[in-house]
Amino acid sequence: QVQLVESGGGAVQAGGSLRLSCAMSNYYVSTGQMAWFHQAPGKEREGVAALGAYPVYADFVKGRATISKDNRKNTLYLQLSGLKPEDTAVYYCAAANLRLTDSALSSREYVHWGQGTQVTVSA
């Protein structure tokens, strides 16, 4: 059974930084397709960044986010900087069963999900 456990969320002021982590069990980050999504209250879940053969970023985080992985720790990361109040959301990590290209930021492609970690950015 695949398990994804996020950590690293919290409350920060605008302009601050956070690093989110997603520890995975029974899924190998070394060869997998993974992504970070976020969901704000009343809004749909939205792709933030994905990593398979190469990283993909949503336009609203380009230059402010870095997605990476540690194969030895089997963990996915999302480094966020220059945080804005509109970044406030629950952040989820996800894993797919296939490598993705054009649809790497589509939530429909991902079958394994973590429980989410809250990120709150104050002005």
Side-chain angles (χ1 to χ4, degrees), residues 46-74:
E46 183 177 39
V48 177
L51 181 61
Y54 49 84
V56 176
Y57 297 96
D59 287 344
F60 62 84
V61 293
K62 282 182 179 176
R64 301 191 297 121
T66 302
I67 188 170
S68 62
K69 62 184 179 180
D70 185 324
N71 293 340
R72 185 176 61 84
K73 295 182 179 179
N74 211 38

Side-chain angles (χ1 to χ4, degrees), residues 11 18 34 41-42 48 60 67 81 90 96 108 123:
L18 281 175
M34 297 82 60
V48 177
F60 62 84
I67 188 170
S81 60
V90 178
R108 296 174 298 178

